Amino acid sequence: MIDILLINPAEKGGFFEKMPPLGLASLASFLEAYDISVKIVDFEVEKKPLEHWLSLYQPKFLGISGTTHTRFESFELARLAKSFNKDIITIYGGVHATFTASETLRNIPEIDFIVRGEGEEILLELIKTFSSDQKFEKIRGLSFRKDHLPVDNPHASRVHLDSLPPPAYHLLDMKKYETKMEYIHKKGISILTSRGCLYHCSFCSASRMFNSLLTVRSANGVVDEIEKLLKEYKFQAIKFFDSALTLDREHIENLCDEIINRNLNFPWECEVRVGTVDQPLLEKMQKAGCYYVDIGVESGSQKVLDLMRKGITVEQSEELLNMCKALGIKTKVFFSFGHIGETMSDVEKTFEFIEKNSDKITTVASGAGVRIYPGTYLESYARKNHLLPNDFEWSMPYDEEWNELILQSRSVPILLQPQLGRQELEQIALRIYSKRFSGWEGLKRGITKLTDPQKLKKLQNFLKLKFKK
């Protein structure tokens, strides 16, 4: 019998790479430091049903994580837990839960509590309060029901990251995880060195989730964790999963210095933000092992960049690509189509940008359709302009089959506008994926999808789109 079982639902559709549930691993290590018994089950890699684990561990509390993509799976896990034992206390957390707390409590009776924001201290206080005075109103960052109505307590303060112990990798079957490191044949793994973002892109909730603040871990602590992953778990490469590793200049420089000073030799990939990087910094990153950077350019139209509140210019994007090429650093560049106010003329500017800079872009990562997530400016814009149904609620059934045609998730709404609706997004998707599957490399990419049921479904949807009457 344990105090709490933390679970991560499986995501349908293969839209995200399987990686260790770092948030749950952080929660677990923090709780263990206070002598609370914890186990983690990640249904992305574990196939036995929830009932098996509930029977095995007999937890008093069940902590359920999840994303907008997996919200219905999270709700179903709560229902299964209550049907197994109605006395299990169910707690839901994560970005999606944070921005939909009251609505979820209204519509999903099997969820007892919702943790908003960073969960370590809130969850600890909830578990302690449950065994003492049960005055839940005093726990900042907690949402719960009082007299059958949802109550949102005031927001909690940010967590000091260096006060947290390293993630509880010992509670995960690390042999089941491997992050794909493109262009190198190395076994990779993802880690986090910071939380939050200083910017306010219309389609992203990272800044609101963390109160528009960026917090970072010490370089020493991060590299200690990296050494453990390399030596104890035999990983060979690292993918930094931060929103952008270059948001804090001192942080990235200290991190590179620590890697260099310890004479560690491993390749790594990270996301960098346009406008936060210059050549000396890139040179230091490369010296420390950075071989590949992910860049969210998003659009080749300055008008669209401004409307999405990106805070960068087209010229800055080109400048960064030029610097990376000069140093031989590979680039994965993200582009998205369907933003607020975007027209087919703007779309064409983005394709022209891609073509113009094709010799500097190692990998083009693009998609048709912008997903609407809770807590974003895009969500409020869509509601205000009636681009979401008036009665739309995140916890109510939603399954849009058309989304699959443009290779998007059926469970997340796509922004559809009068000037850029389904027909236009289908044209864009066809153009993107025709390019992706063309030539010998494209053929090989298509063949690799034949052995993965989720990827095969995407290939089938592309063929449907291509031969649509």
Side-chain angles (χ1 to χ4, degrees), residues 162 166-167 191-192 217-227 255 258 262:
D162 279 338
I191 73 166
L192 279 166
R217 297 169 57 195
S218 69
N220 186 64
V222 171
V223 181
D224 282 349
E225 183 180 332
I226 290 172
E227 284 205 273
L255 189 57
E258 190 70 21
R262 295 196 196 187

Side-chain angles (χ1 to χ4, degrees), residues 118 121 158-164 215-216:
E118 295 168 286
E121 294 173 354
R158 290 295 306 277
V159 172
H160 180 55
L161 295 186
D162 279 338
S163 70
L164 303 177
T215 52
V216 301

Side-chain angles (χ1 to χ4, degrees), residues 299-308 311-316 346 349:
S299 178
S301 163
Q302 190 60 53
K303 182 195 85 175
V304 173
L305 289 173
D306 293 342
L307 286 171
M308 73 171 76
I312 64 173
T313 66
V314 174
E315 291 73 24
Q316 285 177 312
D346 296 309
K349 288 180 181 178

Side-chain angles (χ1 to χ4, degrees), residues 96-128:
H96 181 86
T98 294
F99 294 112
T100 61
S102 291
E103 179 202 313
T104 302
L105 289 171
R106 281 200 314 272
N107 295 322
I108 312 298
E110 294 84 2
I111 291 176
D112 297 315
F113 296 91
I114 290 179
V115 170
R116 307 189 327 271
E118 295 168 286
E120 289 87 359
E121 294 173 354
I122 303 168
L123 190 54
L124 174 64
E125 194 171 352
L126 174 60
I127 292 172
K128 285 182 172 180

